Amino acid sequence: MDPRYKMKLVESTFSQIFGENAETRIRTVEDSLHELFLEYSIIQVLPFTETNFDVGNDIMMKTDAFQEVSFDGSFFPAEDGLSDIEFYISDFTANQQFKSELNEYLEEPLEPSVQEFDILGWWRINGSKYPTLCRMASDILSMP
């Protein structure tokens, strides 16, 4: 989530640590990042009302379409064997005619590496360009 390094830091570090086995591990990180982005995208698309509350490890939501629904991967009926995330991913990727925010962000040039770089300030400024990534960065960067 650091625009000065993006995936280059992972690629460089993993290459040093894992040598010729680095590529599969780098791909795992990339795939996980895309999955996380899709989860944040799904949350943004769902018809939430103002009633969201935590219950243990699950987030419970009250919506017009769903009464109390646990965010555990079971929103849609699995008539064809697909869970909701698989359904969303297949629909999203099949109809994708644009680059996702994540792909645009990763393809843009790296920010210059300066000593006094304010990463949270950068995300505040660029939040309108990358709203989903901005929420991800806020959550990830706020972890100690």
Side-chain angles (χ1 to χ4, degrees):
M1 302 310 303
D2 190 328
R4 295 172 296 174
Y5 306 112
K6 301 180 185 179
M7 285 298 296
K8 299 301 182 202
L9 181 63
V10 173
E11 293 166 4
S12 171
T13 305
F14 280 25
S15 293
Q16 291 174 3
I17 295 170
F18 301 110
E20 59 189 52
N21 297 326
E23 190 60 38
T24 55
R25 294 175 190 252
I26 292 168
R27 188 71 187 145
T28 299
V29 172
E30 288 176 340
D31 291 346
S32 298
L33 182 60
H34 281 86
E35 286 177 29
L36 182 62
F37 177 77
L38 283 174
E39 286 185 33
Y40 272 77
S41 297
I42 289 171
I43 291 171
Q44 182 177 336
V45 171
L46 289 175
F48 294 132
T49 62
E50 294 182 32
T51 311
N52 293 337
F53 50 94
D54 290 329
V55 177
N57 291 334
D58 293 333
I59 298 173
M60 300 298 287
M61 299 166 279
K62 270 191 127 149
T63 67
D64 295 333
F66 309 103
Q67 284 310 307
E68 289 181 355
V69 179
S70 173
F71 188 67
D72 63 357
S74 60
F75 285 111
F76 301 110
E79 296 169 0
D80 60 355
L82 295 177
S83 71
D84 69 316
I85 188 71
E86 292 167 328
F87 174 80
Y88 180 81
I89 292 170
S90 67
D91 187 49
F92 181 81
T93 54
N95 295 322
Q96 189 174 20
Q97 297 177 357
F98 61 93
K99 286 184 182 178
S100 72
E101 285 177 41
L102 179 57
N103 290 337
E104 285 184 24
Y105 168 75
L106 292 174
E107 290 175 5
E108 283 195 356
L110 300 176
E111 289 292 317
S113 186
V114 294
Q115 184 115 18
E116 300 294 322
F117 186 76
D118 178 11
I119 192 167
L120 295 176
W122 189 92
W123 279 109
R124 263 190 301 279
I125 292 168
N126 291 281
S128 60
K129 185 175 183 179
Y130 306 113
T132 304
L133 288 175
C134 184
R135 282 195 333 276
M136 286 174 56
S138 176
D139 290 348
I140 291 169
L141 296 173
S142 66
M143 293 179 199

